[in-house]
Amino acid sequence: MTATQTPPTDHPKTASDSAARRYATVNPFTGETEKEFDFTPTEAIDGIVGRAHSAFQEWRQRSVEDRAAVVRRAAELMDERIHDLAALTTKEMGKRTEEAVGELFLCSMILKYYADNGPAFLQPTPIQPLFGGGEALVETQPVGPLLAIEPWNYPYYQVVRVAGPNLVLGNTVILKHAEIVPQCAEAIEQLFTDAGAPEGVFTNTFLKISDVEQVIADPRIAGVTLTGSERAGSAVGALAGKHLKKSVLELGGSDPFIVLDAEDLGATVKAATTGRMQNTGQACIAAKRIIVPEAIYDDVVAGLQQAWSTFSPGDPTDPSTSLAPLSSEQAAKDLHAQIQDAVDKGATVLAGGNRPDLPGAFVEATLLADVTPDMRAYHEELFGPAAVVYKVKDEDEAIALANDTVYGLGATVMSSDLDKAKAVAERIEAGMVWINQPTGSSPELPFGGIKRSGYGRELSEMAMFEFANRRLLRTVPAKKADKPQAG
């Protein structure tokens, strides 16, 4: 952390979790509470963990092909139910229907990816012994039940990127989802049940936050993964360490979008707009800080202002709507407070900046400039339709600004000169850098960050090994077994 930085506040993805007194579907467009759910009783937790552990003993003994077939069937069921599942997302956290369907399409791809490739990923890796003859293999084995603590912003995607690889590997999963998407959580459990997963292989719970430690502390739980706030990640990581459990944390980011040149200004502006505004800006890998050289700054800003002006709030089920509500009224208030803090301290509003005079959890598509280190918007993640644009003198200043953050999740570099873009990307402190395309996600690409964005990787082959026993099997011919080995 530099001398100018201050620790960020809680990440909005899970801020609602810590304040919630119940699991409930509260439509962020209408503000109406449509359905409420009781918390899982504390006294029921032991039985839930017990069933997940018992299921693990049987599930791990199945062939990897059988486990993969269940995961593939879940993907097929997701395809069949895609519109009903998407409607739940829109109802519970306000995602536009088009984007909700797109999320489910990606989820199906992820499940199919692990169903198709997981068995090959789990093949033993041979090692040539340096002495003693025989053979050595590194085997990949499951470790047991996992607790997955997941956020609301991508209510299916966040879950399947944990469930896909781990169910194929042979682990079982207990889900504690965000309190504002309970029906999505139930629907995911039903998918795996209907796909043939035995009881306890994938279990949804409505856990209270105060009961999370009981689950992590249980000796039958092998690990915990969390996507959410820095504060929640710090707490869960500490608990995992206390109880000697493996953890994976994805804790958000303040991703830079670095423009090195703008030979195709339209493509650059489009990429920045897409990178920032997808999912109403409620994405940890969104392009939140747009960094532009002074020579082309005015042209890029003019293009961004034009693009930002096209976003119109409305019903997320209406195909003509370009700006959906945020996930909750509290999320809208929190984002607007960050914007107002910057404005009060002298930031320039290039677009938006207000809450429209409409019902629903809306904030205007906002573009800020002249943001300085004394403002919250400089250090904190803006989790919604708001971005900050910065003017820099050269590449060195752009890189220094990009790295002047406690986060390190993703980054984007835009340039017609690929060699220059790669050289800049090499100096960016992030878990993922994309060149000439906004940061995104695909099943085969590892996803994760560094610094206060967390640790560990999801997706790709790497995800198969986060919660695995990479066991050595060393076999020496009997006639040489009497030779002493060091260590």
Side-chain angles (χ1 to χ4, degrees), residues 68-78 80-81 115 191 194-196:
V70 171
V71 171
R72 169 163 279 280
R73 181 56 184 154
E76 293 168 350
L77 291 174
M78 184 171 282
E80 294 172 10
R81 303 172 187 179
L191 273 174
D194 292 348

Side-chain angles (χ1 to χ4, degrees), residues 436-460:
N436 291 334
Q437 185 175 344
T439 312
S441 181
S442 188
E444 77 283 6
L445 303 178
F447 190 105
I450 60 172
K451 302 198 294 189
R452 288 181 177 264
S453 287
Y455 49 77
R457 292 295 181 267
E458 295 180 315
L459 300 178
S460 80

Side-chain angles (χ1 to χ4, degrees), residues 326-391:
L326 276 76
S327 63
S328 67
E329 177 60 22
Q330 188 60 53
K333 288 179 179 178
D334 291 343
L335 178 63
H336 188 249
Q338 291 172 301
I339 294 168
Q340 193 60 50
D341 172 79
V343 173
D344 291 344
K345 294 175 180 176
T348 301
V349 179
L350 300 174
N354 299 306
R355 297 199 60 184
D357 186 19
L358 293 170
F362 290 103
V363 174
E364 292 176 342
T366 299
L367 191 65
L368 300 174
D370 304 313
V371 169
T372 54
D374 62 319
M375 302 172 188
R376 293 177 60 191
Y378 187 91
H379 304 287
E380 296 178 9
E381 181 177 21
L382 301 177
F383 211 67
V388 179
V389 60
Y390 293 94
K391 182 193 297 185

Side-chain angles (χ1 to χ4, degrees), residues 215-224 239-241 243-247:
V215 180
I216 296 175
D218 193 299
R220 295 167 293 185
I221 293 293
V224 56
L239 288 172
H243 297 289
L244 298 179
K245 305 296 176 70
K246 173 69 183 290
S247 60

